[in-house]
Amino acid sequence: QSFGYYDVHEDRKHLVERRRKQVFTQADACVSELGTSLGVSFLDCVLEKLEALERDYDNNGGEESCARDGEVDGDCAVMEDPFPVPSYTRSPLTIKHDFNDPADHPGMLMDFIRNYTCARDVDGGSPVLDKREWVYDEAEVGAALLEKICQENMKSEGSAQWNKARGFLPAGNDVGKAAEMDVESAKVHCDKLPMCEGFTFQMTADGNNKPMIFFKSRASRSGVVASDEWKTYIRFKGSGYCESNSAQQQEQISTEPPRTYTIEILREEPLVAVIPNFASQEDCDMLIEAGGTDEVMGRAHESGGGPSSYRRSYSTNIDVDYESPTDPITRFANRMFAFVRDITGYSLYGPGQEPINAVLYKDAGDEYRPHCDGPCNGQRNQYGARVATSILYCQTSDGGGQTSFTRSGMMIMPRPRDLLLFSYKHHNDTWDNGFTEHSGCPITGGRKWIATQWYREGVNYDVPWNMAENV
């Protein structure tokens, strides 16, 4: 087992290893009694056994007892200095951090329990409490989304042919030469350029109405990087299919028959659910190709630079163009949003959301340490913040790689093409207070490739996720 964060100082490694053995010994005893390392009963068992050792140590006089008896080794030495159990509360497990403890025993304890449960593949995943059916009618959903796109475009800033967005299109995909001109001239010029889908420019401080215009062969509102100093114009791809009953409109509506999926409910609130085989192998191949090669996917880094020890993985973003309804990635993303909408009741639509985050774990020990995707402080929900997460498992590792909910004792065993969903907004419009803290367990071999989608209420192309008021 790794030391986690507790191997920073050489003089502390011996202490950390001794503490790890103390926790793992009691965890082994709990598994012998319960038959599993899953569930709150296991968490309670480990804490209670560690507390019992503390009481025995205190009742026997601790180190003074060893001194009286003249013992240096043996049972008395084993009893010395038990793991100091910090203050904690249950449901979810919340351990109070002690900022006066340089060894950080509270963090150490949570780290060891998480490492122990991650290492026990034999326990499998948490049990399914209920099963439900969900029917996805792509034709019906697609027609409704098409109407929504067209209505929002008529209300958006721009025109019937052009959408305007605050922000810029990233470097690359340039077509033609950049030139200084006004916006109307740029629209005409883009019309004449082969493959031109839009243009982007930085607004000038002096009010010059002829800024330097950059023309792009790839442009979508989902690909705009928010900035108040830039503007982007994107050709509206739906100008033809927004005409009622037009041939272009009929081409955008799927003729696929409805499909029925089984939903496995692992927890009702905050919701944890899995849809087995949500994706086809073709869906996964498509997403993996869109995510790029191993060389394209960058190693996760700390905000200050340097590889992250908290998130040891490789990742890239997959932008979704929700104004291209027939695009295979858009169709897949729309299916995810329809499922999350239906099961949570949240108002969630693709435009303005964060891109799909493709994540690869390929080196032994790659992991994502415990974290919350959104607020998990029990406070009132703020519109625009994340409210749910889905994880699509396209490739699963040869060992490890589970998704563990560290403070509630739950574990998800990844299966290829399954979609995991968990929500962190309660029906009373408050945030979860820690039940959805989760981690990606270290892989021990092979590769794990996942596609993560975060969901926010109240965002759209005009107010995207990175410009929402309360993110």
Side-chain angles (χ1 to χ4, degrees), residues 2-17 19-20 83 97 101-113 115 309-310 369-370:
S2 65
F3 285 121
Y5 291 107
Y6 310 106
D7 57 350
V8 176
H9 304 290
E10 287 293 327
D11 59 352
R12 195 174 296 164
K13 285 187 175 181
H14 178 72
L15 168 67
V16 173
E17 177 59 17
R19 295 303 193 212
R20 184 190 70 81
F83 195 104
H97 284 272
D101 177 4
D104 188 17
H105 282 89
M108 195 186 299
L109 178 57
M110 288 298 298
D111 193 59
F112 291 154
I113 293 176
N115 288 351
S309 58
Y310 201 81
R369 305 297 300 170

Side-chain angles (χ1 to χ4, degrees), residues 248-282:
Q248 295 98 319
Q249 184 182 82
Q250 297 306 311
E251 290 174 0
Q252 308 302 317
I253 300 176
S254 171
T255 57
E256 290 284 331
R259 284 179 283 179
T260 301
Y261 295 85
T262 298
I263 306 174
E264 298 176 345
I265 305 296
L266 283 72
R267 184 172 62 201
E268 291 286 356
E269 191 173 57
L271 177 69
V272 177
V274 172
I275 290 192
N277 297 310
F278 181 84
S280 65
Q281 188 57 53
E282 290 74 17

